[in-house]
Amino acid sequence: MWRHAIKPRPRWKDTVVEQGLVFPMTDLPDGTETPYWNESAWYEVTMDEVLHLERVTEELYGMCRHAAEVMASGDRFSDTQLGLAPGTLPLVRESLKRDDLSVYARFDLAWSGAEPKMLEINGDTPTGLVESAVIQWNWLEDVFPDADQWNSVHDRLVKWWAEHLAAGHFPGNEAHFFNSGAETSGEEAMTVAYLRDTAAMAGLATYGHEIEDVGWDSARRAFVDWGGRPIRTAFKLYPWEDMLDDEFGRYVLAGLEPEPVRWIEPIWKTMLSTKAILPVLWELYPDHPNLLPAYFGDPGDLLEWVAKPLHGREGSNIHIHTLAGTEDHVHEGPYDTSTMVYQEWHPLPSYDGNRAVIGSWIVDGVAAGMMVRESDGPITDYYARFVPHAIGTSPRPDQATIDAWLNE
């Protein structure tokens, strides 16, 4: 992979906003702002590199599904150890047994051209979706119209909704979409609106509002939207560990619904969003070339490590310990640090001083594309910059080839 400097398109900020990215800039603590969408550079990858990343992504996803089953077995963890509401793990087991529908997830990979190393997976509430699926593809159309990009995210999302709609998996052929009103950057609302668009393109009737406005109808023992309509299928960009701690979570935990909501992502995805999956993967697949040694609760035999809170996001509450550093690097944040997962320190590759992490998307179990985020420091945090990519050596395939890939 190579990083190239390039002149941004005229009016790029207006362009990406018009295409749906509501925050092209990130506000800094000192009152200034920095680009979140950074098209002053682009990353070049080869087709061989894409094929390798695809294989690794799909293999890791299968391993994570296996790890989820082990974690939920009841022998490995308790709800308390995982920071989950009492009664969560039995619901996770039932969800896995039913093979509840799940649509997408995102791996974060450290990759310097050899074997990618899995830093973590977000299987419950992945963001970065709009800029990955739509904005960087539109950038490619403008800047390199004959080039290709590893990016079938949008097509695979629409296909997923369409296939399950045709199979009768969505009662009433409808779905609700919820984001949290507590998130004020617009990221969650933007992501949910995009997912809603993909469902509408597939033919579903869609409804949406903030998840805080979801109600409980005691007479019908059903969740209802703000118009009183029963909720039967719902996509939410709201972590399960928070949902089950909320007041209405007790209805889910108590199993009071005669016809439970088909939540997307399903509750078994909680196992893929806690950092506790990292030591389980290392136990199940020791010395796997795409994993880093990891331990639950202490660093074990690691001399250099990164400590991560179970439910942390955006790099918050990360603690890095290296032998070369004069002092540890501690990134403050709001998450509970009473239980930490320790993962071997594996620095991100630097491109002209930019630390790059690969976000590798998987949709319906199939590797679907990538995004690159850059940071100035060792942690990919809230201030990271999204940089587009292209496959530098391959012309864009024709539609028949693309259709064949989607139907494999």
Side-chain angles (χ1 to χ4, degrees):
M1 187 167 76
W2 301 268
R3 185 183 194 273
H4 304 286
I6 191 172
K7 186 177 180 179
R9 294 168 294 176
R11 298 186 62 255
W12 65 267
K13 194 185 304 182
D14 293 336
T15 298
V16 299
V17 170
E18 290 165 2
Q19 293 170 353
L21 184 63
V22 299
F23 49 92
M25 308 294 287
T26 301
D27 294 331
L28 297 173
D30 64 3
T32 62
E33 57 182 16
T34 188
Y36 166 68
W37 172 261
N38 176 22
E39 61 174 67
S40 66
W42 65 283
Y43 281 89
E44 177 186 356
V45 292
T46 68
M47 181 56 79
D48 285 345
E49 289 173 329
V50 168
L51 293 174
H52 186 61
L53 287 168
E54 285 184 338
R55 182 192 62 75
V56 169
T57 299
E58 292 177 5
E59 182 179 357
L60 286 175
Y61 190 72
M63 292 159 57
C64 287
R65 172 67 189 238
H66 177 207
E69 294 170 348
V70 172
M71 295 168 71
S73 66
D75 299 328
R76 183 66 177 82
F77 292 111
S78 67
D79 292 317
T80 301
Q81 287 174 308
L82 292 177
L84 300 171
T88 300
L89 285 177
L91 296 183
V92 170
R93 287 194 288 274
E94 293 171 13
S95 177
L96 284 164
K97 187 176 180 180
R98 290 191 302 266
D99 195 19
D100 284 346
L101 296 182
S102 65
V103 56
Y104 78 132
R106 192 198 73 229
F107 287 94
D108 284 348
L109 305 174
W111 182 52
S112 56
E115 284 296 345
K117 300 294 185 183
M118 176 181 164
L119 300 177
E120 60 186 53
I121 179 174
N122 189 332
D124 187 16
T125 59
T127 54
L129 190 64
V130 175
E131 45 274 50
S132 294
V134 178
I135 308 301
Q136 70 169 344
W137 180 261
N138 289 334
W139 168 88
L140 186 79
E141 294 272 35
D142 286 346
V143 179
F144 299 118
D146 297 324
D148 198 11
Q149 187 176 79
W150 181 24
N151 189 355
S152 61
V153 175
H154 177 82
D155 290 338
R156 292 192 186 281
L157 288 172
V158 176
K159 179 173 179 278
W160 185 86
W161 289 109
E163 287 179 347
H164 289 288
L165 175 64
H169 292 160
F170 303 125
N173 297 333
E174 65 183 30
H176 282 76
F177 293 80
F178 301 121
N179 62 281
S180 172
E183 199 282 326
T184 57
S185 75
E187 182 177 42
E188 290 187 9
M190 175 186 76
T191 306
V192 171
Y194 172 62
L195 262 299
R196 183 177 175 180
D197 282 348
T198 62
M201 289 176 186
L204 276 82
T206 65
Y207 310 90
H209 55 72
E210 293 175 353
I211 199 165
E212 288 84 353
D213 291 328
V214 170
W216 174 256
D217 185 322
S218 299
R220 289 184 284 183
R221 291 190 294 152
F223 289 107
V224 294
D225 67 14
W226 62 10
R229 176 185 293 272
I231 300 167
R232 293 181 282 186
T233 297
F235 175 88
K236 52 81 190 167
L237 203 69
Y238 191 61
W240 269 108
E241 66 266 19
D242 293 339
M243 281 180 63
L244 296 177
D245 275 341
D246 286 349
E247 182 178 353
F248 75 75
R250 60 190 172 93
Y251 299 116
V252 177
L253 289 165
L256 295 182
E257 302 163 273
E259 297 180 24
V261 174
R262 182 189 293 277
W263 291 102
I264 303 167
E265 296 295 327
I267 194 170
W268 74 262
K269 284 294 199 75
T270 56
M271 300 295 101
L272 270 59
S273 281
T274 168
K275 305 304 184 292
I277 195 172
L278 299 173
V280 176
L281 283 168
W282 187 246
E283 289 177 14
L284 295 172
Y285 305 96
D287 300 322
H288 190 283
N290 303 119
L291 297 178
L292 293 167
Y295 301 99
F296 187 87
D298 65 68
D301 58 359
L302 299 177
L303 298 178
E304 296 186 306
W305 44 259
V306 181
K308 304 179 176 183
L310 292 178
H311 302 298
R313 288 175 170 81
E314 303 274 16
S316 296
N317 298 101
I318 295 288
H319 182 166
I320 299 175
H321 172 77
T322 63
L323 297 177
T326 55
E327 60 183 29
D328 289 357
H329 182 103
V330 179
H331 206 62
E332 300 296 340
Y335 295 101
D336 181 4
T337 58
S338 57
T339 301
M340 302 290 273
V341 166
Y342 293 78
Q343 185 182 49
E344 186 177 70
W345 167 237
H346 188 87
L348 297 172
S350 175
Y351 295 84
D352 302 326
N354 300 284
R355 315 287 184 91
V357 65
I358 303 294
S360 181
W361 293 97
I362 193 154
V363 178
D364 196 20
V366 178
M370 76 176 221
M371 67 181 196
V372 183
R373 284 174 297 162
E374 294 181 336
S375 298
D376 296 328
I379 297 172
T380 306
D381 60 12
Y382 175 77
Y383 303 105
R385 304 171 291 277
F386 190 109
V387 183
H389 79 277
I391 303 175
T393 56
S394 299
R396 186 173 303 180
D398 58 26
Q399 191 58 47
T401 301
I402 295 172
D403 292 342
W405 286 343
L406 292 173
N407 292 319
E408 284 179 349

